[in-house]
Amino acid sequence: MIARRLYDRADGRGQVEVAFFQPEQDGETGDFRCPFEISGLEGVEPIRREAWGVDSVQALQQAMQGARVALEPHRAQLRWLGDSELGFAQYVPNGLGPELDAHFEQLIEREMVRISQLWGVEQDARARAAGGLLPPGKKPQWTREDALSDLEWLEQWYEAQCRDEWAHHQGVSIQSLDNPGWLLKVDLRGTNLEGRMADALVQRTGAPPSETNAGGDDWMECSIKEGCFIGAGDPRKLRALLNCFRAWARNES
């Protein structure tokens, strides 16, 4: 055995062990196989499998992915670091060419930044409400909502507000500007955010256009005016505008 992970069982009856063994090279193909074993699952015989790779590192990586897939159906009965998470990251395809590899990496980085921003806003609000910082070691409590893209979140929020006359007389609008740029307008009257309609500047970056200023090529401004969330930005800021509204809406301070 070269590595192992122990999970506490949710029922308190012992632990589940995932053991990884030394990768071995196959004499015929030259590839490597890495055996792994999962034991201690309730009502399940020990799972013994092996994963393959072009070298020992890839074989070990594939074994970890194999363990994640095998454990997924049993996630509810496992506890690792106090949570029902497995601790094995989802495999990200690579080797598909430099452009696709870079594309996948950029997608992941953007999502990490987005969720970090959302968590940061909520963490700040909770800290202010508690009169201080979160306790040391406090972990973010992610929900399924956190995994939604900003557009998916807006779709769900919009659907939840569509009652009475709101969808007929207020609503959400997204349109282009002749600056050029984007404009996002969300009428807050009659929504679950109606109590936060006081005029305020939410976020400003760069130099937004004005009567005396043509504006730069990298700008965004979001504010609350006359009962609406109004966000405007340059042609590359549509996603940022959606993210800003989402972060503001979820800040319960």
Side-chain angles (χ1 to χ4, degrees):
M1 181 192 305
I2 59 171
R4 72 169 183 166
R5 172 162 291 165
L6 293 175
Y7 297 91
D8 294 321
R9 282 180 40 170
D11 58 12
R13 299 178 181 177
Q15 294 182 307
V16 173
E17 179 184 74
V18 183
F20 299 96
F21 300 92
Q22 179 70 41
E24 302 173 344
Q25 188 170 22
D26 181 76
E28 295 183 3
T29 65
D31 292 336
F32 284 75
R33 58 175 172 267
C34 180
F36 64 94
E37 180 177 296
I38 302 173
S39 58
L41 290 169
E42 181 181 9
V44 179
E45 292 293 322
I47 299 172
R48 299 182 179 88
R49 297 178 183 171
E50 56 185 27
W52 289 77
V54 296
D55 57 21
S56 58
V57 172
Q58 188 180 64
L60 179 58
Q61 291 174 329
Q62 293 293 86
M64 291 182 179
Q65 288 302 308
R68 185 188 67 81
V69 172
L71 288 169
E72 185 63 39
H74 311 282
R75 177 191 289 267
Q77 65 172 283
L78 304 176
R79 295 293 181 270
W80 184 62
L81 300 179
D83 296 318
S84 59
E85 58 183 64
L86 302 177
F88 294 113
Q90 170 69 47
Y91 174 71
V92 179
N94 58 17
L96 301 176
E99 292 185 1
L100 274 180
D101 288 349
H103 175 66
F104 285 131
E105 291 175 1
Q106 290 170 3
L107 286 176
I108 294 171
E109 289 175 2
R110 282 201 297 266
E111 284 301 294
M112 289 175 64
V113 169
R114 180 182 67 81
I115 292 180
S116 295
Q117 289 172 339
L118 286 174
W119 169 246
V121 170
E122 294 181 359
Q123 184 184 45
D124 289 345
R126 293 169 186 169
R128 287 195 299 271
L133 297 176
L134 295 177
K138 177 71 174 179
K139 297 175 59 180
Q141 298 300 307
W142 304 119
T143 66
R144 290 185 180 275
E145 183 177 322
D146 293 311
L148 299 175
S149 70
D150 294 325
L151 181 57
E152 290 170 330
W153 179 88
L154 180 62
E155 289 174 342
Q156 292 193 9
W157 181 85
Y158 169 79
E159 183 178 24
Q161 313 311 311
C162 288
R163 56 185 181 274
D164 300 327
E165 298 298 313
W166 184 80
H168 297 287
H169 301 290
Q170 284 89 41
V172 177
S173 66
I174 300 174
Q175 66 185 69
S176 59
L177 298 173
D178 58 6
N179 290 329
W182 292 101
L183 175 67
L184 168 66
K185 183 178 180 181
V186 183
D187 198 319
L188 306 175
R189 293 167 293 185
T191 73
N192 62 348
L193 300 171
E194 188 171 22
R196 300 173 56 198
M197 296 193 305
D199 287 1
L201 177 67
V202 176
Q203 182 179 341
R204 176 184 290 154
T205 58
S210 66
E211 294 182 359
T212 58
N213 176 20
D217 56 2
D218 182 9
W219 64 274
M220 182 176 80
E221 181 175 282
C222 297
S223 59
I224 309 302
K225 295 179 181 178
E226 300 179 352
C228 296
F229 177 97
I230 300 175
D234 65 67
R236 294 180 177 270
K237 291 294 190 299
L238 179 56
R239 288 172 297 180
L241 293 172
L242 296 175
N243 179 259
C244 185
F245 173 64
R246 178 183 186 178
W248 176 83
R250 293 184 62 179
N251 182 348
E252 299 175 357
S253 61

